[in-house]
Amino acid sequence: MKWSEQTWQTIEEKYNSILKMPFIKELSDGTLLLEKFKFYMAQDSLYLEHFGRTLSLIAAKIQDLQDVLAYMRFAENAIVVENALHESYFKDFGVTDKGILQPACHHYIHFLRSTAALESVEVAVAAVLPCFWIYREVGDYIYKNQNAINNPYQKWIETYGGDEFSIAVDQAIAICDKVAENTTEETRKRMTEAFITSTRMEYHFWEAAYQLKTWM
Ligand SMILES: Cc1ncc(CN)c(N)n1
């Protein structure tokens, strides 16, 4: 069994908990309070900048030149393409100030940045994988279960439930499987731990937005 298949099994329960979150349910039926979505989008826009920086650091470290190019593209997509979705919502909502990093986002970003800086590149690619994979699965799930009539969050749903995003996700999974195959059992274990940690943080990111959780 591939590393990715084995690892997904370890987070299956956590993934199912994500699907049951009120944030996901209400985003999907369009009833999520705008205040919560705005909080989420502002934090996510800050997140994407640092996620893009993390992907660039991985691009600088990864061995295979095709993989260097893939992570450079992922970084550009996070900062330019994904963030364009956020900017368009900010325009609609009249948001000019995204504010500061709040606890869940701060924690997640710093986990990704420190993993990319201090761990091996194999562990770093595993740490960023839930940012692709969980979003694709949640995006697809919402796409299939959405209320598409007058849903204010339609653009979000189409971005993460769309084919373009899915192609990048498949690439990121394939790179993880390749590096996992060529490394030690100990590193594969660390990759799985990093993947689990990021999965947890995806959960807490949505939870924090639903609760509008800020610093004291
Ligand atoms: C927190 C988070 N994780 C993942 C994604 C999808 N790149 C995102 N936009 N935000």
Side-chain angles (χ1 to χ4, degrees):
M1 196 187 286
K2 289 180 183 166
W3 172 84
S4 60
E5 292 164 354
Q6 240 171 12
T7 301
W8 185 267
Q9 285 181 357
T10 68
I11 59 102
E12 197 90 54
E13 214 174 295
K14 291 178 182 53
Y15 169 65
N16 285 323
S17 301
I18 290 174
L19 296 185
K20 289 192 197 111
M21 296 183 84
F23 189 99
I24 301 303
K25 192 192 164 295
E26 292 171 22
L27 183 76
S28 149
D29 62 26
T31 59
L32 183 68
L33 284 183
L34 195 57
E35 192 190 6
K36 297 183 181 190
F37 189 69
K38 272 191 200 172
F39 179 100
Y40 165 71
M41 289 305 260
Q43 289 298 299
D44 206 46
S45 180
L46 298 170
Y47 165 88
L48 285 172
E49 177 200 324
H50 293 279
F51 178 54
R53 291 179 190 277
T54 304
L55 294 168
S56 302
L57 191 50
I58 293 174
K61 289 179 157 192
I62 204 159
Q63 188 62 34
D64 185 309
L65 205 50
Q66 288 308 315
D67 298 343
V68 172
L69 293 172
Y71 280 88
M72 284 166 67
R73 273 196 310 276
F74 296 158
E76 184 171 358
N77 266 333
I79 295 173
V80 180
V81 182
E82 275 189 72
N83 209 29
L85 166 77
H86 296 57
E87 293 298 336
S88 87
Y89 271 116
F90 296 149
K91 229 169 121 191
D92 294 351
F93 301 152
V95 172
T96 50
D97 180 11
K98 297 176 205 167
I100 61 165
L101 291 174
Q102 297 298 344
C105 185
H106 186 274
H107 191 151
Y108 196 1
I109 282 170
H110 282 83
F111 169 69
L112 294 180
R113 287 168 51 125
S114 63
T115 301
L118 303 174
E119 293 277 0
S120 67
V121 74
E122 289 85 353
V123 178
V125 292
V128 294
L129 189 58
C131 318
F132 291 87
W133 202 355
I134 298 269
Y135 260 62
R136 194 237 329 252
E137 298 308 314
V138 171
D140 285 353
Y141 173 84
I142 293 179
Y143 193 85
K144 285 186 198 115
N145 294 285
Q146 67 177 312
N147 164 25
I149 302 159
N150 292 332
N151 188 327
Y153 310 122
Q154 193 65 33
K155 278 188 284 185
W156 188 97
I157 295 169
E158 274 162 19
T159 299
Y160 292 111
D163 289 345
E164 210 176 305
F165 187 66
S166 189
I167 293 168
V169 178
D170 286 337
Q171 281 175 352
I173 294 171
I175 294 171
C176 282
D177 280 330
K178 182 178 66 180
V179 300
E181 219 179 288
N182 294 322
T183 192
T184 61
E185 192 52 42
E186 173 58 27
T187 301
R188 274 192 289 277
K189 257 174 72 186
R190 290 170 78 85
M191 289 174 70
T192 301
E193 277 164 22
F195 186 88
I196 294 170
T197 301
S198 288
T199 300
R200 290 192 169 114
M201 290 202 225
E202 291 293 349
Y203 178 96
H204 289 298
F205 200 98
W206 277 309
E207 183 188 52
Y210 197 75
Q211 296 173 353
L212 301 171
K213 183 103 181 94
T214 58
W215 297 108
M216 60 183 294

